[in-house]
Amino acid sequence: MVALLFAAFLLLILIGIDVGLSMILSAWLGILAKTERAVDPILLPQTMMNGVSFYALVQIPLFILAGDLMNRGGVTARLIDWSQSLVGHLRGSLGHTAIMTNMAMAGVSGSAVADAIATGKPLIPAMERAGYGKGFAGGVIVAGAVLGPIIPPSIPMVVYAQMANVSVGKLFLAGIVPGLLLAAGFFAICALLARTRDYPTLPRVALRGRLRATGRAAWALAMPVIIVLGIRFGLFTDTEVSAVVVVYALAVGLLVYRDLRLRELPGIAFESARSSATILFLLAAAGPFSWLVAESQVDRHAVALIRALTDDPVVALLWINLFLLVVGILIEPLPAMVIFLPALLPLVPVLGIDPIQFGTVVVINLLLGLLTPPVGMLLFVVANIGRIPLAVLSRGVLPFLAWAVVVLMLIIVFPPLTTWLPGQMR
């Protein structure tokens, strides 16, 4: 039955059916084909509703709305100016600016695609005018955008926390060190490539200019601080902090930056609702699919298979990551999580793996699929907005992808990179 379930799902994906609908249709076929114990098809809508009837999932639309409000409220331009004032004098200045801006944007939207579009539209043409290669210009935007769902807030981490029944706040904190490691490596790659290819620099900005740029961007830079400190010191619950940042984003856009207009709010709310509906529909569609996978005891077979290979948690994580790296190339992160996590999560306590570490590893692993040639979704997004040939962009992103794999291996081998900071949480 499980073979039929996955075969039907893959076939529907290959013929172009939406991922959520593919899961629903394949689950329906699985229910009809279940012979050892008949199941009433009414289970299909019931498990779909159960999949999204959790209070904690309210964070998803709230974080999306907060990110949309900040992006439409003049955040991107101010963050670019701030980043340029700090790193513009370095060789390959606009590449460093792209990474720095995406680090700051990560604390606002938590969406890789949104960050790639917001930073790519102004910075890719600027880099091309300054003589940067198309591959480098697109590659640095793709790499920087991956930081969005790793540095808090993070929609994939909210989804994992709900599925694994762990603290969202601890997962958010767990993403900080890996996110900073990724960014540090990306900066080093930018510097090396810029020096090798003799990319230009911008004039150094005086201290007064840096302070002015920081002051203009301070309200945007404060959002991730509110999230991290609010959770770390118990000022807000995981859900309350998402509501707080919505109010904060609205106040900044309307009253501080004043780039946001009241007449724009219905349109922003509609776009946020549509994005949220896409994610929540996917989670609902995964309900019956995941139930059938669990009913077939795939998790027991997975546990037995991994334990037959090794009892070492590090080696087990490496095997799981090898599998997920292949999955991430073919399927986007959220669908991959809702499909495969029900079978993988039982391995965590059996092998003695910390669930916070496992969640961080899974999220980063699947995000690598977004920038893996030739099918990574971010590659298509950036190639479209920057009018860059996909082959050229794929070559440009390879150095950044290589460093991302190194960071993934580091957090597998050294668990404190993901567990120390959450361990400080009250």
Side-chain angles (χ1 to χ4, degrees):
M1 193 269 291
V2 172
L4 172 65
L5 189 68
F6 280 97
F9 173 72
L10 291 175
L11 178 62
L12 291 167
I13 288 289
L14 289 174
I15 64 176
I17 304 297
D18 174 78
V19 173
L21 290 176
S22 296
M23 281 194 286
I24 293 172
L25 292 172
S26 56
W28 177 65
L29 290 173
I31 288 173
L32 294 181
K34 195 171 172 56
T35 56
E36 65 274 15
R37 193 178 68 179
V39 175
D40 192 327
I42 193 64
L43 183 72
L44 193 68
Q46 287 179 342
T47 51
M48 286 181 66
M49 292 301 298
N50 290 338
V52 290
S53 58
F54 297 100
Y55 174 70
L57 291 180
V58 74
Q59 296 171 76
I60 292 176
L62 288 175
F63 277 130
I64 290 174
L65 177 58
D68 287 345
L69 287 169
M70 291 292 277
N71 287 337
R72 293 281 288 275
V75 168
T76 304
R78 288 171 174 83
L79 289 178
I80 290 175
D81 289 344
W82 171 73
S83 302
Q84 196 163 289
S85 72
L86 296 180
V87 297
H89 61 284
L90 301 175
R91 177 70 63 183
S93 55
L94 291 177
H96 294 292
T97 298
I99 297 297
M100 178 73 79
T101 304
N102 272 288
M103 281 184 64
M105 290 287 291
V108 174
S109 73
S111 167
V113 173
D115 290 353
I117 294 171
T119 59
K121 283 185 175 179
L123 286 175
I124 290 176
M127 281 190 267
E128 290 183 11
R129 288 193 299 269
Y132 293 73
K134 281 181 173 288
F136 176 87
V140 75
I141 293 294
V142 170
V146 172
L147 298 173
I150 298 173
I151 297 173
S154 167
I155 301 303
M157 287 185 177
V158 173
V159 173
Y160 173 87
Q162 184 58 54
M163 296 184 70
N165 194 29
V166 297
S167 165
V168 176
K170 288 187 175 182
L171 271 175
F172 281 1
L173 294 177
I176 292 176
V177 173
L180 293 177
L181 284 174
L182 283 169
F186 293 162
F187 279 124
I189 292 168
C190 281
L192 179 62
L193 293 177
R195 185 172 297 277
T196 303
R197 301 171 184 177
D198 197 28
Y199 288 151
T201 63
L202 296 173
R204 182 186 292 270
V205 177
L207 178 60
R208 181 175 296 179
R210 294 184 181 188
L211 292 176
R212 279 199 301 266
T214 302
R216 289 193 295 268
W219 292 96
L221 295 170
M223 182 179 279
V225 176
I226 291 171
I227 294 171
V228 172
L229 295 185
I231 293 174
R232 166 64 181 83
F233 293 105
L235 301 177
F236 316 111
T237 65
D238 301 341
T239 305
E240 288 170 350
V241 76
S242 61
V244 168
V245 296
V246 168
V247 175
Y248 179 83
L250 189 62
V252 169
L254 288 174
L255 304 177
V256 181
Y257 290 158
R258 299 184 181 180
D259 289 344
L260 195 61
R261 300 289 180 265
L262 287 173
R263 64 175 178 273
E264 297 177 314
L265 294 182
I268 294 172
F270 176 78
E271 290 299 324
S272 300
R274 188 164 63 176
S275 299
S276 303
T278 300
I279 296 172
L280 293 173
F281 174 70
L282 188 62
L283 293 175
F289 192 96
S290 299
W291 181 84
L292 284 170
V293 170
E295 179 73 5
S296 302
Q297 299 185 340
V298 172
D299 55 342
R300 292 188 181 182
H301 296 301
V303 170
L305 176 61
I306 294 294
R307 296 202 70 176
L309 295 171
T310 180
D311 284 326
D312 188 312
V314 173
V315 178
L317 266 178
L318 290 173
W319 278 109
I320 293 170
N321 272 271
L322 182 61
F323 168 72
L324 291 177
L325 283 170
V326 176
V327 168
I329 293 173
L330 302 174
I331 306 175
E332 294 175 20
L334 287 180
M337 288 173 66
V338 297
I339 293 169
F340 294 104
L341 275 181
L344 295 175
L345 284 172
L347 288 167
V348 176
V350 172
L351 295 171
I353 301 171
D354 188 287
I356 298 298
Q357 180 201 15
F358 186 73
T360 312
V361 167
V362 166
V363 169
I364 293 177
N365 183 305
L366 293 175
L367 286 172
L368 295 189
L370 295 177
L371 66 157
T372 301
V375 295
M377 183 174 65
L378 279 177
L379 297 179
F380 291 106
V381 170
V382 173
N384 181 54
I385 63 175
R387 298 180 180 178
I388 304 170
L390 189 59
V392 173
L393 179 56
S394 297
R395 289 193 297 271
V397 82
L398 287 178
F400 302 99
L401 176 60
W403 173 246
V405 172
V406 170
V407 171
L408 178 63
M409 294 301 105
L410 286 174
I411 65 174
I412 291 172
V413 176
F414 301 107
L417 292 175
T418 56
T419 57
W420 179 80
L421 199 55
Q424 308 307 306
M425 183 175 170
R426 293 177 182 175

